[in-house]
Amino acid sequence: MTRLMNKAQAMIGLAVLLCLGSATAGAQNARLQVDHLDKLFPNAVETIDVSLEGSLLQIASKFLSNKPEEAAIKELVSTLKGVYVKGVEFDKDGSISESDVEAIRTQLKSPGWERIVGVRSKRDGENTEVYLMLEGGIISGIGVLVFDPKQLFVVNVVGPIDPEKIGQLRGHFGVPKGLDLDFGGTRRK
Amino acid sequence: MTVLAILATLLLSGVSDAQAQQPFRAKGKEFKDVVKYIETQFGVRKTHIPMLGLANFAFKLIRPAGVKGFKLAVFEDADFSNHPGNLSFNSFMREAYRKDWQPLVRVNSKREGNVQTYIYARNAGKDVQFAIVTFEEREAVVMEVKFNPDAAARFMDNPKIMGISIGNSIRGGGADIAGNNTGRAPSRRTPPDPSPRSGDIDSINVDHVGGAGPSSAPSARPSLNGTTSDERHPVLSGESNNRSSLPEVNADLPGSAAANDREAIRIETRLVNLNVKAVDKAGQPLKSLRQEDFLIYEDGVRQEMTHFRPVNAPVNLILMLDLSGSTKKSRDRMVDAARKFIDALPAQDRIALVAFTRKYRTLADFTSNEALLKQSIEKIRKISGGTAFYDSMWEALDNLDQISDARKAIVVLTDGEDESLVGSEETNHSFDDLLGRASEEDVTIYPIYFSASNHYNKLGVLFGGSLGVGPDSQKRTAREQLGLLAEQTGGEVISTRRQEDLDDAYRRVASEIHTLYSLAYSPDKTKHNGEFRRISVKLNRDGAIARTRKGYIDK
């Protein structure tokens, strides 16, 4: 459970911190539908499902301090509309099917979404994909998809984003130092 | 109401099959629904919590940390591992918490005994309400709490209750209110008092005869072969050869006619007990050393060793198991691991089996009968309660004080979180008391720190685990205290988070116990001035190193 929690926290940190920025409208389309993963829950050894949105998200931000690291999250949360995490982990390989992943990918391939990061580890088979929802040149949502044969995690942050601040986040809160976050164009890594 | 009930029933008629199978349906009554559900599904009644109503009233009145009220129901000693499952209970929760409530967190871990947590929340004007439901294998908790987030945030910046500060800011993980707010729970930062207890001072009456006046008394060492009047702290009847070299003393026990009739001189000697681990250059334990291989120094002055026990000397060991609610989900694994531990110890070792909650229960007295021990350990499945860790350890030391002819050890499986750390219970003995006493006993303490996740802190998911309050803070304190106990007694803390690792933890302890030598000496001079006496033990083998405690306070 601790491992799951840490992972979830890191992923929330990654996704939330990617979303620093100014307000914009029309962010609701960035919400991913991942309810189909619920069917995997009964047989998974660990599951997590977090939905933090609206005023409760603002309330959560009140419990963060003004230390630089937490202040960044606090500033971010003030403009966000929602943070959603859903994840399942199994004991055995092969528990995650391609269709489970494709159901999410299909949404992330729809108009407005751009894939900016795709990392595949041959060593442990883990895949990480990061998508941005772009509306009028402004980022209004982020989708992070992490999966391997045993686990599948989806982090979805809905809200306005200031791309200029994203680079500052490398090396903090689970954002890899080497992650290339140049949002001037669509890049694949 | 009837119409509403019918409407609700109609609305709920289209739910999933899983829901349809549930014999109990939610009525949108939130807390009451969930409590009723648990009572109905599992045939269990909620545990009576004394003064809960008064506490709630006090919260409404005082509003500590912005909390305006709460509801709490705890269910114990039922098998919650077979509840209908994540999906169906989640559906039930959605029915119970309908209006304005938002599902925030749903977490399930089968690795840790099918632990499930559900958190819902809603706005209530300027306030916010959280509903938290957790299932563990044998415990379920339903809680609702209403608080003002602004007041709670202010409390975190400046923790005050009724105008009384209870610490510094508790944001950011830096502060530790657990150590400040109890008054009873000693801070781990307070230096321990490792001065010897009265039980470590052997007092005898010596005849004042033949010109052996006071000036010669200090050189007259007492025989350590007898017993004192204080049977709780019998002196060691050691195997030391040095006893024969001590001056012959004609001693009468206090109260005897001879002692009363003659003028007596009171001589006090202090026994300093040391558990020593000897290792070679590569760090491998040296297990075949003899008494003459050890040299003891106090403040740089060589001391005469009075007692020596080799590593293979039989051990009288108390195996203590923390049966608080936090370990409930791990009972099966605890039983299994303890059995293997019993198997791993040499046959001549004698083991007592103790379970502790708020009570100290001896399940089996000292015995080498493995079958009896393994049978006794089954009893732990039915025991549950709080954690009086300090008092239980104190009682274990009392038990071991009854034994005078063997090496002694305590192996305690615990998360170390004495209830005084959260201020929920009084303790008879503080941690400093315990550490001071343990420092002077010839008992080696091996804590196996077993800390699984704590469901009360699941909100950490929302806040990134960055808040330094509540369980995490207590865990840190508890872990550090266990480290101090081990350090001062020559033992070692072995940490494990997963039930699966308990076997290995016990195996390490079983191996470690028989790598220690037990030594004792009587300091050549005692001043009782409260100064620290530095101890070092050297080995007359090239490259060999002896590890033991650093010293004691001459009090």
Side-chain angles (χ1 to χ4, degrees):
Chain A
M1 178 65 82
T2 304
R3 191 169 42 149
L4 187 75
M5 288 295 182
N6 290 341
K7 188 155 200 157
Q9 287 170 9
M11 292 179 69
I12 291 172
L14 165 67
V16 165
L17 287 167
L18 283 169
C19 293
L20 285 169
S22 57
T24 188
Q28 291 303 319
N29 291 336
R31 174 80 189 269
L32 297 171
Q33 297 304 317
V34 290
D35 289 345
H36 67 285
L37 297 182
D38 285 359
K39 73 177 191 300
L40 301 175
F41 277 26
N43 296 321
V45 290
E46 301 213 357
T47 64
I48 185 167
D49 184 359
V50 175
S51 299
L52 194 54
E53 57 190 3
S55 58
L56 290 171
L57 190 59
Q58 307 311 317
I59 289 168
S61 72
K62 293 182 180 181
F63 295 95
L64 298 168
S65 75
N66 290 321
K67 289 182 178 179
E69 290 177 342
E70 292 186 4
I73 303 175
K74 206 170 185 177
E75 182 186 354
L76 153 71
V77 167
S78 66
T79 61
L80 286 183
K81 296 185 183 301
V83 177
Y84 311 91
V85 179
K86 190 164 282 196
V88 290
E89 187 176 342
F90 295 87
D91 272 341
K92 296 176 182 175
D93 283 350
S95 302
I96 303 294
S97 69
E98 189 64 26
S99 62
D100 296 326
V101 178
E102 267 315 305
I104 303 164
R105 273 210 188 110
T106 302
Q107 298 176 59
L108 292 166
K109 288 176 180 173
S110 63
W113 284 105
E114 295 280 358
R115 191 172 90 159
I116 59 159
V117 174
V119 179
R120 179 170 188 144
S121 169
K122 288 185 177 177
R123 187 171 55 190
D124 54 19
E126 185 170 287
N127 297 269
T128 303
E129 298 173 7
V130 180
Y131 298 79
L132 298 183
M133 165 70 80
L134 297 170
E135 292 184 32
I138 296 174
I139 300 167
S140 60
I142 287 183
V144 180
L145 188 57
V146 179
F147 62 95
D148 64 26
K150 283 185 181 175
Q151 61 176 346
L152 171 58
F153 288 90
V154 182
V155 177
N156 181 203
V157 179
V158 179
I161 296 158
D162 180 353
E164 290 184 1
K165 295 184 179 179
I166 293 176
Q168 302 171 6
L169 304 174
R170 283 190 291 249
H172 298 286
F173 300 100
V175 181
K177 285 182 179 176
L179 196 60
D180 188 354
L181 295 174
D182 180 0
F183 293 157
T186 303
R187 298 177 58 165
R188 295 174 193 275
K189 189 173 180 179
Chain B
M1 281 302 291
T2 306
V3 174
L4 286 174
I6 293 170
L7 283 174
T9 304
L10 290 172
L11 284 171
L12 296 173
S13 61
V15 296
S16 67
D17 289 342
Q19 288 170 284
Q21 291 168 5
Q22 293 175 11
F24 183 77
R25 305 295 291 268
K27 297 174 182 175
K29 292 184 177 178
E30 304 164 357
F31 182 86
K32 284 184 180 177
D33 267 353
V34 179
V35 169
K36 188 75 176 173
Y37 173 92
I38 293 172
E39 288 181 339
T40 305
Q41 292 289 86
F42 302 103
V44 63
R45 301 284 295 178
K46 64 181 178 181
T47 304
H48 173 66
I49 303 174
M51 313 291 278
L52 184 63
L54 187 62
N56 202 359
F57 176 73
F59 267 75
K60 286 178 179 173
L61 196 67
I62 301 170
R63 300 184 177 183
V67 176
K68 294 183 173 180
F70 67 90
K71 298 174 184 174
L72 175 66
V74 178
F75 302 87
E76 295 179 314
D77 293 331
D79 182 5
F80 294 108
S81 61
N82 293 321
H83 67 83
N86 200 321
L87 266 181
S88 58
F89 185 74
N90 187 53
S91 301
F92 178 85
M93 282 290 289
R94 284 177 183 274
E95 291 174 20
Y97 288 91
R98 296 175 210 162
K99 193 177 179 183
D100 303 328
W101 288 90
Q102 293 179 30
L104 289 188
V105 174
R106 176 171 43 136
V107 178
N108 174 225
S109 173
K110 289 179 180 171
R111 284 203 180 102
E112 295 184 359
N114 205 18
V115 179
Q116 297 198 24
T117 301
Y118 301 84
I119 302 175
Y120 278 60
R122 75 170 172 188
N123 287 311
K126 293 180 179 179
D127 302 327
V128 63
Q129 271 183 289
F130 278 98
I132 303 171
V133 181
T134 66
F135 288 99
E136 297 189 357
E137 279 190 352
R138 299 197 62 79
E139 182 182 75
V141 178
V142 185
M143 183 167 66
E144 272 186 26
V145 60
K146 182 179 182 181
F147 67 96
N148 182 295
D150 292 320
R154 284 196 300 274
F155 174 82
M156 294 177 69
D157 279 331
N158 184 17
K160 283 182 178 179
I161 293 177
M162 297 181 74
I164 300 170
S165 176
I166 58 170
N168 299 321
S169 169
I170 52 178
R171 287 189 189 276
D176 174 17
I177 60 169
N180 296 332
N181 68 351
T182 64
R184 297 181 305 278
S187 165
R188 63 187 182 277
R189 298 178 185 89
T190 306
D193 177 11
S195 60
R197 298 177 310 118
S198 58
D200 297 313
I201 297 179
D202 303 324
S203 300
I204 62 171
N205 292 324
V206 181
D207 287 350
H208 184 188
V209 292
S215 61
S216 62
S219 65
R221 295 195 173 217
S223 165
L224 300 174
N225 208 19
T227 55
T228 65
S229 58
D230 181 2
E231 292 186 356
R232 285 182 63 248
H233 308 296
V235 293
L236 296 170
S237 58
E239 295 170 343
S240 168
N241 295 328
N242 287 350
R243 279 180 297 170
S244 60
S245 64
L246 294 173
E248 189 69 27
V249 177
N250 180 15
D252 288 325
L253 294 176
S256 70
N260 290 334
D261 290 344
R262 287 166 282 188
E263 183 182 357
I265 300 168
R266 185 179 178 84
I267 299 176
E268 291 184 344
T269 63
R270 167 177 291 157
L271 276 184
V272 177
N273 299 298
L274 301 175
N275 294 306
V276 181
K277 183 171 183 178
V279 296
D280 62 15
K281 288 178 183 175
Q284 294 301 308
L286 296 169
K287 298 183 178 180
S288 59
L289 299 180
R290 295 171 297 178
Q291 180 173 346
E292 52 267 33
D293 293 323
F294 292 84
L295 305 173
I296 303 175
Y297 294 86
E298 181 178 301
D299 290 337
V301 178
R302 174 85 182 272
Q303 304 292 313
E304 189 174 12
M305 191 188 310
T306 57
H307 297 79
F308 173 80
R309 292 187 184 282
V311 294
N312 58 0
V315 175
N316 273 17
L317 179 149
I318 298 182
L319 175 57
M320 296 178 67
L321 300 170
D322 175 350
L323 298 187
S324 59
S326 57
T327 64
K328 258 184 178 178
K329 58 182 176 294
S330 310
R331 289 296 152 78
D332 287 344
R333 185 70 66 167
M334 287 169 71
V335 168
D336 189 46
R339 282 177 169 167
K340 290 177 181 170
F341 178 64
I342 291 165
D343 284 336
L345 290 172
Q348 73 269 23
D349 287 351
R350 297 171 71 233
I351 303 170
L353 184 61
V354 166
F356 70 96
T357 52
R358 291 189 188 102
K359 292 180 181 177
Y360 181 93
R361 297 175 174 88
T362 301
L363 305 180
D365 207 348
F366 289 103
T367 179
S368 299
N369 185 334
E370 289 187 12
L372 175 64
L373 287 165
K374 290 177 180 176
Q375 185 182 347
S376 300
I377 208 162
E378 289 294 330
K379 298 174 188 172
I380 73 169
R381 297 183 197 276
K382 297 178 181 176
I383 300 173
S384 182
T387 312
F389 177 65
Y390 307 150
D391 291 347
S392 297
M393 287 294 289
W394 191 274
E395 196 157 346
L397 290 172
D398 282 346
N399 286 353
L400 286 168
D401 270 349
Q402 310 294 323
I403 299 165
S404 60
D405 61 348
R407 292 179 54 209
K408 306 167 195 175
I410 295 173
V411 178
V412 53
L413 176 72
T414 181
D415 58 13
E417 293 181 44
D418 191 282
E419 289 178 337
S420 64
L421 286 175
V422 292
S424 60
E425 290 291 330
E426 297 280 354
T427 58
N428 294 324
H429 305 284
S430 68
F431 176 72
D432 283 353
D433 291 340
L434 175 64
L435 183 60
R437 177 178 179 185
S439 300
E440 292 304 317
E441 300 275 4
D442 56 337
V443 177
T444 313
I445 298 175
Y446 293 93
I448 297 177
Y449 177 67
F450 180 51
S451 179
S453 64
N454 189 312
H455 51 256
Y456 297 108
N457 203 30
K458 290 296 189 296
L459 283 173
V461 170
L462 304 181
F463 305 121
S466 60
L467 305 180
V469 297
D472 282 347
S473 176
Q474 294 144 26
K475 284 178 188 298
R476 280 198 303 276
T477 302
R479 176 64 181 77
E480 289 175 15
Q481 290 180 344
L482 293 177
L484 286 170
L485 281 172
E487 183 185 41
Q488 282 296 323
T489 61
E492 181 182 347
V493 180
I494 295 171
S495 297
T496 177
R497 282 188 167 278
R498 303 188 325 141
Q499 301 175 56
E500 290 82 353
D501 297 334
L502 279 178
D503 288 354
D504 187 52
Y506 274 123
R507 194 160 38 241
R508 285 177 59 190
V509 173
S511 169
E512 190 71 20
I513 282 177
H514 284 285
T515 63
L516 291 181
Y517 296 87
S518 296
L519 318 179
Y521 71 97
S522 297
D524 60 347
K525 55 183 178 182
T526 53
K527 295 182 178 177
H528 305 298
N529 58 3
E531 289 181 351
F532 184 77
R533 302 289 174 210
R534 185 168 47 83
I535 297 172
S536 64
V537 176
K538 295 180 180 174
L539 298 170
N540 57 11
R541 299 273 184 103
D542 286 343
I545 299 169
R547 295 173 184 157
T548 189
R549 62 188 168 105
K550 295 173 182 174
Y552 68 95
I553 292 176
D554 186 4
K555 196 172 180 180

